[in-house]
Amino acid sequence: MTDADRRMLAGLPELDIRFSRTRLVRHRGTDVSREWHYLDTGDELARLVRPGGGEVVGTILAVHGNPTWSYLWRRLASASLRAAEKGGPAWRVIAVDQLDMGFSARTGTTRTLPQRVTDLADFTEDLGLEGPVITLGHDWGGVISLGWAVDHPEMLAGVITLNTAVHHPEGVPIPAPLRLAGARGVLAASTVSTPAFLETTLALAQPPLAPEVKDAFRAPYRTAARRHGIGGFVADIPVDAADPGFAELQRIAAGVTELEVPALLLWGPKDPIFGDRYLDDLIDRLPHADVHRFEGAGHLIAEDRSYADAILTWLGDNAERLAGRLDEAAPRESADVSAPVPFTPLWAALEARRDDDDVAIIDMAAGRGAGGERRVSWRQLDDRVRSLAAGLARIGVQKGQRVSVLVPPGPTLTAVIYACLRIGAVVVVADAGLGVRGLSRAVRGAWPDVVIGELPGLSAARALGWPGTRISVARLPRASARLLGVSHDLTAIARARASAPLPPEPAADDPAAILFTSGSTGPAKGVAYTHRQLSALRDVLAAHFEVSGDTGLVTGFAPFALLGPALGTRSATPDMDVSAPRTLTARAVAAAVRASDARIVFLSPAAILNVVATAAALSADDRRALERVRTFLSTGAPVGEPLLAAAAQLMPNAEPHTPYGMTECLLVTDVTLAGIRAVSDAADRGVCVGSAIGSNRVLISALDASGRAVGAPSDEPGVLGEVVVSAEHLKTSYDRLWLTDRGAVRDTPAEGRWHRTGDVGHLDAEGRLWIEGRLPHVLVTADGPVAPVGPEQQIEASTSVRRAAVVGMGPQGLRQAVAVVETAPAVARPGLASPELTADVRGCTALPLVAVLVVPHLPTDIRHNSKIDRTRLSEWAERTLAGGRMTRP
C-alpha cells in the first residue's frame, strides 16, 4: 500500500483509520507472499480489556463481495468497539480486502472460488487467528466466508450472511444483471475497462448512497488496472460443471447443510441479483437460523439498513453459546415452559362426519349452479379433501413445503386448505385486499414451493414472477397452461387418490399456516401458526360462542369462512366478494341465513356498514330469517355502539358481540352491545373491547414521557400503554422477521407465550380493555403522550362529522394535533375546514388543535375498511399545512 493510499483511507467518511492494517501473507505451496489490507479492531479492544477489564470473547471474520471492499464493514467495526466501551461483550472485528480487491495486492491472475477460500484460510492462519470465530459475508464474500466456516469447524462459533447464495437451481438462468455483465464482449468493458459494474452496484442502494460514500467505495478502483479483480469475480461465477468453481460451490453448499452452529441471515428482498430464492435455499440448509428480511432494502443491505445493530443484538442474545460457554446440545431458550394442552387436529370434526350427507358448506355466490348457490355435503367435502391430499402428496407436495392459495373463499378453498393441512404442507394465505404490490410482496416474501390458484391468481403469478410450482383449480387449455407455467390442475390431482395413500398426519407443533396481516400499519407481515395453535383457536371459538354441530354459521369475514368444518357445523358464505367487504348487502346476509338456518353471523366492520346501509331493501321474509339469528359477531377492528346497534336492529333476537383480536391472535377479548352501553357514561377514553376470553390474559406496558412502551406489563387500571396479550392460540412467530419477533416479546412475562400488539390502551377497574389507537400513532406533545382515539370520539360527537382522525405534525416531543375529518354530508375535495366547522370541532375536544382539515374519505385498509392510516394522514397534513399542493391523502 502506498502513502497516497494511506492518506486516501484516512479521509474516508465513517472509516476509523485506527483499524486499518496491512500484512504480508505467504500462500501455501508457494514462495509467494502478498500484501493484504484489512480492518482490525483488535488493538483498540486490547486497550479496553486490560487485566481486570474483561476479555475479548471472539472474532467476527468479515468478507466483502464484488465490487465492494472492507469499507462495507466500517459501521460494524466502530459499533462493536462502542459496545465494548460501554461494557458489552468485546467482539474483535477483522474485515479483509480480498486479493485483487480493495487495497490488497493485485496478483495479475484470475482467482477462482477454490483459490479465494484458500486465500482466506492462508490469511487467518498467518494471522494466528483462534476461535471462537463468527464468519460474516455478503455477496460472493458470503460464499467464501461459508467456505472458511465449513473448513474450520474447530474454530467456528456461528455464521452470519447478508444477501448471498451457495446454490443455484439447475435449469434456471443466473440473474439477468450477471448474465449481461459476463457476456462475451461485455465482460471486460463493463467490469474492467469502465467502472460500469461498480457504478451499477452502487446505484442499487435503497435509499441512494451519499456522494462521499460512493466515492469511498470507488477509492480502490480508480483505474482499469485496479479493477481486474472485479472482472475476475464475474468471470468466475460458477454456472455449471464446466466452470472451475462449480465443484467448490457444491462442496460448500453441502457443508453448510451440516452446520449446527447459531446462524443469522439478514436479507434485502429488493436485490435483483441475490433474491429470495437464495434466502429460501439457505433457510432449507440452516433451518435453525434466525432470519430477518428488511422490507424495502436491496443488494447493499449493509448500507440500506442498520445491520450492525442487528448483528450486535444477535450476538448479545446468543453470547454464551457463541463464546463456547454453553453446551451445544442445550435447547434454545423458550418463553413457553407450560405443559401443552390436549390436541385434536383441525380436520377431526370433518372426519367424524365423513359419512354424513347433510350440508357442510353453502356458497351463495351468484352464478354458481342452479339458483345461484352451491351446496356441498360432509361426505363430499371429506372425499374431496382426502382426494386432494393424496393427489398433492403423489405429485410431490411434502410436509413442511409452503403452498400459496390464491382461491376465493368457498368450497374449493376450504377443500384445498384442509387437504394441505392434512399432509403437513404449510398454507400461505394473503388476501387480495393487500393490492397487487402488497400481495406480490407477501407471496415472494413467503417464497412458496407451490401456488394453487384460479386464472387471475395464476396470471398474476406469471406476470410478477412469483415462485413455486403452479397448479390450476380448473383444467386449462394446453396453450394457456403452458403460457402460465401451470404444471397440474386440481381435477387431475384429485383423480390420483386411488393410487396414492394419505401420508402420516403432521404433529401438533409442526408448522401449519402463514397468515398475512392487513398491512394497515406498514408492509403486511406473515404470521406463522402451528397445528396446535389453529386447533386452539377453534376450541376458543366453540367454547365462548357455544358452537355445536347444529349451530350453523354465516361467514362474511374471510378468516372465519374456513372454520365451519373444523367446528363440525355447516357454514354459508353470502353472495359477496369477500376481499371487498363493502359488496355485502343486507339481503345477501338474509339469504345466507335462510339457506343455512344459521344461528351465528360473522361480519367484518366494513361489511356491517354496507349491510346497515342496504337494510331498507329487506323483504318481510328476509327479516323473518334474520330474526332466527341468536349471535352476531363483528371482528377485525373495534366497532362503536351506533354501528353495532344498527346491525342489532336487523337481527333483533341476536346478542351482538365485537371481539378484539389481530392476525397474531384472532380472539383476545369480547364485549357485547349491552356491555358497551353499560360503560357509555364511563370517563375512560377509547373503545371498550371487553374482558379477556377464557384463559387469555391482557396486560399493559406503560408509556413513558417520550411515548415508548417501557413499563413492566401489569394489570394496573387506568395506565396508558401498549397492550400485551397471551393465549393458547397466539401465533408462533412472524415469518422471516426475527427482529420484529424479538420486539414483540420484549420484556414480557416469563411464564407462557406473550405478544406486544402495537395497540395502545388501558384497563379499567373491572379489567375491561379500552383501545385508544396504535403505538406509532401516539402524539408525543410537550405535555406527554396523547393517544388519538379518545379525541377522535369526542370530535365525532359533532353532527357535522362522520368520522375523524387526529394526527400530529412537528418534531417529536413537540407534536401539535391536527384533526382530519369526513363531514356529513361529504365534501367534494380536501381542504381547510370552514371557520364554523373548525370552531365546532375544537369545541368538542379538550385537545388543542392547530388545524382542522376536511377530506371526502379517510384512507383505510381494504380488508377492514376501518383502520385509518394515520401515518399517511400525518405526512399529508404536514405537507399540506406547510404550503404543499392540496391533494387527496
Side-chain angles (χ1 to χ4, degrees), residues 385-398 401 403 415-416 419-420 423 425 450 452 471 490 493-494 496 500:
V385 168
R386 288 173 176 270
S387 297
L388 289 175
L392 288 169
R394 183 175 181 274
I395 66 169
V397 181
Q398 301 174 8
Q401 286 192 319
V403 180
V416 167
C420 289
I423 64 175
V450 178
I452 300 177
I471 299 175
L490 291 185
I493 286 172

Side-chain angles (χ1 to χ4, degrees), residues 462-478:
R462 173 68 175 82
L464 298 171
W466 294 347
T469 300
R470 294 176 196 149
I471 299 175
S472 172
V473 170
R475 186 170 186 178
L476 299 177
R478 186 172 300 175

Side-chain angles (χ1 to χ4, degrees), residues 778-799:
V778 170
L779 283 68
V780 182
T781 70
D783 297 324
V786 176
V789 171
E792 289 168 356
Q793 290 176 311
Q794 294 169 343
I795 292 168
E796 287 168 356
S798 168
T799 57

